[in-house]
Amino acid sequence: MIGDAGAEALAGVLGDCTALAYLRMNRNGISTRGARRLAGVLGECQALAYLDLRRNEIDFEGAKRLAKAFFGTSALANLRADASKLYGTHWIGARNGTNVRPGSDKGLPQILV
């Protein structure tokens, strides 16, 4: 588990990443603090098409920040998140019918944390 410190460190370099298209960070103990930091850089990562933050500790405030960032960037096509703090509710964003599924896009650069 990378927790908030790891999410914040990763957020610090995401803006410089030009090839990463798929980032899965589920079950990593990321709370609203880490989600806020990630949300702050989503617009800078032009290649990122899929972000998975399911099964973390993101509360409603963190979810709102991520959703706002998702709708504010054109590159990110899919955002997946849920957490016990959101009462197990899945919320998924997909833009323009684009659906990038894990395993179906083997050519995309990926990081599985």
Side-chain angles (χ1 to χ4, degrees):
M1 288 197 332
I2 65 170
D4 288 329
E8 290 172 336
L10 187 57
V13 297
L14 274 179
D16 297 327
C17 183
T18 59
L20 180 66
Y22 180 99
L23 180 58
R24 190 172 91 186
M25 297 192 303
N26 56 323
R27 296 182 189 215
N28 269 287
I30 299 168
S31 75
T32 296
R33 187 180 101 202
R36 279 193 309 255
R37 181 71 169 101
L38 288 167
V41 299
L42 284 181
E44 299 172 23
C45 191
Q46 297 303 311
L48 189 62
Y50 183 96
L51 176 61
D52 186 349
L53 292 168
R54 290 174 296 152
R55 296 186 177 100
N56 282 291
E57 297 298 320
I58 301 167
D59 67 10
F60 185 70
E61 178 60 33
K64 285 192 326 185
R65 295 256 183 132
L66 286 167
K68 185 176 180 179
F70 170 75
F71 288 109
T73 180
S74 59
L76 187 62
N78 289 268
L79 171 64
R80 297 191 66 184
D82 75 357
S84 59
K85 299 217 176 195
L86 293 176
Y87 308 103
T89 303
H90 294 316
W91 56 278
I92 301 171
R95 190 183 319 282
N96 299 329
T98 305
N99 194 7
V100 179
R101 296 182 188 274
S104 68
D105 37 286
K106 301 200 186 308
L108 293 177
Q110 300 184 19
I111 293 180
L112 306 178
V113 179

